[in-house]
Amino acid sequence: MIRFEHVGKRYGRFTAVKDLDFAVSAGEVFGFLGPNGAGKTTTLRMVTGLIQPTRGRIFIGRHDLAREPIEAKALMGFIPDRPYLYEKLSALELLRFVAGLYRLPRAEAAPRITALLEQFELVEWATTLVENFSHGMKQRLVFAAALLTRPSLLVVDEPMVGLDPRGMRLVKQIFRDLCAQEGMTVFLSTHTLDIAEDVCDRIAIIHRGDVVAMGDMPSLREAAGAE
């Protein structure tokens, strides 16, 4: 679903990302684990097309992100680490607004919005202004908006920021269900090992812009124990 071909990013003399050369399979929850400043957010911004790599190519599905940006971006949803919402809209109005941006037919959008409000336990607050939501509720609404178009790829920067324990459990389960039942791919960054261990099928550990290890948790533990 995602393929990095020797991707790097420099800012002047500073190298944020050195040489990414790996693939993420369809239906996989793939974690990008590392401390703050390791290059996680830079990588996610390159994947979503917000910034351009200094070198290398990124493919989303069969589309070269640099040459076919519209086709590539149409396959994905993105949840940044600090999402912004139109707080003078209700949750229902916001989701209808997003559906309009993507030109979803009303007959298709209405049941999808209802299903997402139920899935993220927001039905009771559907007509409440977003400005009255807790941070965790806003985060769940952002997830609902990102999933509205049924993306093939969901890119998430620090997915559990601001969520209470119940919200974390809900999001983790939704990740698993979407990947298992709908074949969606999740590419997420986190600095928390517990989250990566609970959710991810595979993990890449990035340090100072370089991937220093990759695999599932048992193989990573085995490699760490052997060193």
Side-chain angles (χ1 to χ4, degrees):
M1 188 65 211
I2 309 174
R3 190 166 83 252
F4 296 92
E5 292 187 351
H6 299 289
V7 173
K9 180 64 179 179
R10 292 179 60 87
Y11 295 97
R13 296 183 179 179
F14 173 69
T15 301
V17 174
K18 293 182 180 178
D19 184 27
L20 301 181
D21 191 45
F22 63 91
V24 179
S25 302
E28 184 175 25
V29 182
F30 189 92
F32 220 47
L33 178 67
N36 292 334
K40 302 187 305 296
T41 296
T42 297
T43 299
L44 264 63
R45 288 177 177 170
M46 287 192 291
V47 169
T48 54
L50 294 175
I51 60 175
Q52 298 296 316
T54 305
R55 66 183 181 91
R57 296 195 297 173
I58 300 172
F59 291 85
I60 307 297
R62 298 179 180 178
H63 303 290
D64 184 325
L65 184 58
R67 297 179 180 178
E68 303 173 286
I70 302 300
E71 293 83 355
K73 292 175 185 179
L75 297 176
M76 74 177 79
F78 177 46
I79 301 174
D81 58 341
R82 296 181 181 179
Y84 294 93
L85 297 169
Y86 295 102
E87 297 203 341
K88 294 300 181 181
L89 298 178
S90 69
L92 183 59
E93 289 169 337
L94 180 76
L95 292 177
R96 286 174 175 168
F97 173 70
V98 173
L101 291 177
Y102 284 94
R103 300 179 181 178
L104 290 181
R106 184 173 297 182
E108 178 183 344
R112 179 66 175 158
I113 289 170
T114 299
L116 286 166
L117 289 171
E118 292 174 354
Q119 190 172 30
F120 286 96
E121 300 179 357
L122 293 170
V123 173
E124 184 178 347
W125 295 277
T127 58
T128 302
L129 294 183
V130 173
E131 66 182 1
N132 296 313
F133 279 22
S134 69
H135 185 77
M137 290 168 65
K138 290 177 182 178
Q139 193 75 350
R140 281 184 274 148
L141 181 59
V142 168
F143 273 91
L147 293 171
L148 186 58
T149 60
R150 299 183 186 274
S152 300
L153 168 65
L154 183 64
V155 181
V156 193
D157 197 358
E158 297 292 351
M160 306 305 171
V161 172
L163 291 175
D164 58 22
R166 181 175 178 176
M168 288 184 185
R169 289 193 299 271
L170 177 65
V171 168
K172 288 176 183 179
Q173 188 59 52
I174 288 171
F175 280 171
R176 296 189 189 100
D177 291 346
L178 287 170
C179 292
Q181 298 170 14
E182 299 186 16
M184 188 181 76
T185 305
V186 177
F187 186 74
L188 65 89
S189 77
T190 181
H191 62 271
T192 307
L193 179 61
D194 289 346
I195 292 172
E197 185 174 7
D198 285 351
V199 177
C200 299
D201 300 307
R202 282 195 305 148
I203 299 166
I205 299 175
I206 186 170
H207 181 64
R208 294 182 178 177
D210 197 17
V211 173
V212 296
M214 186 183 303
D216 57 21
M217 281 305 299
S219 66
L220 290 174
R221 284 200 185 95
E222 183 178 349
E227 293 178 356

